[in-house]
Amino acid sequence: MQKAKLRAILLPLGLFVLSAGAYWLVLMGIVPFGLDAPLIFAAIAGATALGAVMIDVHTPALTAGVAAVGFALAAASMGGILGMGDSAILVGAVLATLGVLSYTVSMFYLIGTRLRSASPA
């Protein structure tokens, strides 16, 4: 397998494993969280979106950005920064959920497509 094809597979796979691992660390309680959990998740999603932009995968970058906005909106609402209350938390939760699920699906699709194209016929 050529080095360029291997890199095209390993970069998105590595980004996905790192982001999933970061979410897992927070959810398992290894990284302490309380009311600031949405802010931690927003930072993870923002870093994931930035990483996806850097490796030039646009759909995962967009979906991770949507998740980052959702988590940031929920964090701002819970912290009392926004005065919208429960509706902002609901919108943030919906955006975060859709963003994370879409990111996962788009990364699986991207990695699978690149694996199929790199496989010898």
Side-chain angles (χ1 to χ4, degrees):
M1 187 179 292
Q2 295 174 355
K3 187 176 180 178
K5 287 185 179 180
L6 186 61
R7 184 179 171 145
I9 295 168
L10 289 180
L11 284 177
L13 183 62
L15 179 65
F16 180 74
V17 168
L18 286 174
S19 62
Y23 282 118
W24 180 79
L25 287 174
V26 175
L27 290 174
M28 295 305 292
I30 296 170
V31 175
F33 73 90
L35 291 177
D36 58 346
L39 189 58
I40 294 170
F41 287 137
I44 293 170
T48 301
L50 184 61
V53 167
M54 294 302 293
I55 63 172
D56 201 30
V57 287
H58 301 292
T59 304
L62 177 67
T63 56
V66 168
V69 169
F71 285 127
L73 183 61
S77 298
M78 289 175 62
I81 296 171
L82 295 177
M84 295 189 294
D86 291 339
S87 61
I89 294 174
L90 177 65
V91 169
V94 168
L95 284 174
T97 302
L98 288 176
V100 169
L101 290 176
S102 300
Y103 170 75
T104 303
V105 169
S106 66
M107 282 301 270
F108 281 152
Y109 177 76
L110 176 77
I111 293 166
T113 303
R114 290 185 178 184
L115 276 173
R116 278 193 305 271
S117 70
S119 300

